[in-house]
Amino acid sequence: MSRKKPFRETKSLAEMSGEEWESLCDGCGRCCLYILHNEETGDVFETDVACKLFDPKVRRCTDYENRSARVPDCVRLTPQNAKALSWMPKTCAYRRLANGKSLPEWHPLITGDPKSVERAGVAVSPDLIPEGEIDDDLLEDRITKAR
C-alpha cells in the first residue's frame, strides 16, 4: 500500500490552500521580533523586542486578521516573497520550502506536537519587551543574536 505524500512535498507554496499555508507556521514567533539590518555589511540581528500585537506567552499575533492595518510595516509573507525575505529565520518553513528544503525534524507538522518548537530551542523567549516600552534609539542594545 502506498502512502500519500504530505501536501508540503507535493505542492508549491502558491498551490497551497489557505489552511495548508497557515499550518506551515511553526509558531516560533521570530518573525514578530524587531530585526536590525546593517546596511553596510548586510548583517541581520534579532532583538528581544516584539511587535505590539505579539503575545509572547502563546507566540501568536493578538490581531492576526487586522495586523497589516494596525502595524503598517508588518510584512505579509506570500508565496511570491518567501524566498526573498532573507531576514526570516533559516528555520522558517516558508523560507525553507521556497528554497527547496524540507521542514526541520522538530516542526509541528512532522512531530504532531506544537511544543516541539520549544523543545528544539527555536521558539522565542516569553520574556520579550513590547515595542512601546523601549525607545527605538535603544534597539541596538537589545540585540540577542545574529541571523
Side-chain angles (χ1 to χ4, degrees), residues 103-121:
L103 297 183
E105 62 187 20
W106 49 260
H107 194 284
L109 282 177
I110 294 173
T111 66
D113 180 6
K115 298 252 183 224
S116 60
V117 69
E118 291 174 43
R119 284 193 301 280

Side-chain angles (χ1 to χ4, degrees), residues 6-51:
F7 72 90
R8 63 189 179 270
E9 293 177 12
T10 61
K11 294 182 177 182
S12 71
L13 292 175
E15 295 171 326
M16 291 181 188
S17 69
E19 184 178 331
E20 290 168 337
W21 174 267
E22 293 297 330
S23 74
L24 292 177
C25 177
D26 60 30
C28 74
R30 297 200 175 282
C31 59
C32 296
L33 297 178
Y34 266 59
I35 305 299
L36 302 179
H37 303 260
N38 182 317
E39 300 288 330
E40 293 173 16
T41 65
D43 292 334
V44 177
F45 301 94
E46 199 171 274
T47 71
D48 63 353
V49 179
C51 170

Side-chain angles (χ1 to χ4, degrees), residues 76-146:
R76 203 174 266 274
L77 198 58
T78 67
Q80 294 72 36
N81 69 10
K83 192 172 188 173
L85 298 175
S86 60
W87 58 267
M88 291 290 285
K90 290 180 176 135
T91 56
C92 175
Y94 301 102
R95 182 177 177 187
R96 291 180 64 88
L97 292 176
N99 286 296
K101 296 180 181 176
S102 60
L103 297 183
E105 62 187 20
W106 49 260
H107 194 284
L109 282 177
I110 294 173
T111 66
D113 180 6
K115 298 252 183 224
S116 60
V117 69
E118 291 174 43
R119 284 193 301 280
V122 179
V124 296
S125 165
D127 302 321
L128 297 172
I129 300 168
E131 68 179 299
E133 293 183 16
I134 190 162
D135 188 310
D136 284 352
D137 294 337
L138 301 175
L139 284 174
E140 282 187 26
D141 296 336
R142 306 308 311 179
I143 292 173
T144 56
K145 72 180 207 174

